[in-house]
Amino acid sequence: MTSPFNFGQRFIESKGQPIAHGASTVQMIDRFPAKLGEELEVTIESTASLFRQGVGFSEGVEVFGERQKKAVVFEHFSVPPEERESVRSRLPFTFTVTCRNRTGFVQFYNMALVSGRQEWWHGGSAMIVEEVDGGRRYRCNDFELDDDFNDLIFTVKPKSPTSRGRQPRGLV
């Protein structure tokens, strides 16, 4: 029998479709509406995991001036590279993702960094998506088999012309 917290296995059984878990619907990925060239403001609000957490996005994006098919921004990008051994992150951390595709959306999902390896979409990995004023909040569970949904919390909103997020202090 599949553990109720093994969302990865449950997503395999549902062929990647959202699944019911208690009173919530959980999913492995979300498609946020976006037009070609539209900027989205992403804020990593908090993390509560032993492992470094990150926001993954795909389908053609631009982040920190670089165009990529897929990319990830980890919480430690919020501090200068020379401080990352002693400071995990400074949250909240806001950055911009630009849609560079014609699909009509950018896909978002959660990731964890474990021993230099990126982990997503297996074990306990899942997210609860909530509509918030002007965007969405994602409460995420990393690969550990639990259902606290506080390992990574981030929001995505269309960027207004007057908003400006903190810029990264090095990507490596």
Side-chain angles (χ1 to χ4, degrees):
M1 178 171 158
T2 300
S3 163
F5 305 132
N6 189 340
F7 299 114
Q9 183 61 40
R10 292 176 63 198
F11 286 130
I12 290 170
E13 294 165 1
S14 75
K15 296 182 173 51
Q17 295 304 304
I19 55 177
H21 181 73
S24 300
T25 297
V26 299
Q27 52 197 74
M28 57 190 292
I29 195 165
D30 185 50
R31 291 180 171 172
F32 192 94
K35 296 177 183 169
L36 178 64
E38 184 174 2
E39 294 181 325
L40 303 175
E41 185 175 85
V42 179
T43 300
I44 299 176
E45 296 178 2
S46 64
T47 61
S49 173
L50 295 174
F51 305 97
R52 292 183 188 232
Q53 301 293 302
V55 178
F57 27 89
S58 61
E59 295 307 318
V61 295
E62 180 179 326
V63 64
F64 308 136
E66 293 185 29
R67 289 183 183 210
Q68 301 289 327
K69 181 175 171 114
K70 296 180 179 183
V72 62
V73 172
F74 285 100
E75 66 178 296
H76 64 269
F77 289 10
S78 64
V79 297
E82 63 274 9
E83 292 180 26
R84 292 179 186 165
E85 289 296 318
S86 60
V87 178
R88 179 173 169 152
S89 60
R90 290 194 183 105
L91 303 179
F93 175 55
T94 301
F95 58 94
T96 300
V97 173
T98 306
C99 179
R100 294 294 178 204
N101 69 67
R102 297 181 189 279
T103 61
F105 59 84
V106 172
Q107 295 186 123
F108 285 91
Y109 47 96
N110 60 301
M111 300 182 75
L113 191 59
V114 182
S115 302
R117 192 179 68 242
Q118 296 178 7
E119 299 285 345
W120 72 99
W121 295 352
H122 77 278
S125 295
M127 65 169 90
I128 296 172
V129 182
E130 304 167 331
E131 297 293 326
V132 295
D133 188 29
R136 295 181 183 158
R137 174 170 287 118
Y138 300 85
R139 294 187 303 120
C140 306
N141 215 43
D142 65 15
F143 64 93
E144 294 188 299
L145 298 178
D146 59 33
D147 66 345
D148 51 22
F149 289 95
N150 67 353
D151 295 321
L152 169 67
I153 299 175
F154 68 97
T155 55
V156 177
K157 297 180 178 183
K159 189 172 179 180
S160 68
T162 58
S163 67
R164 291 213 163 93
R166 281 192 348 231
Q167 293 303 308
R169 296 185 181 125
L171 298 177
V172 186

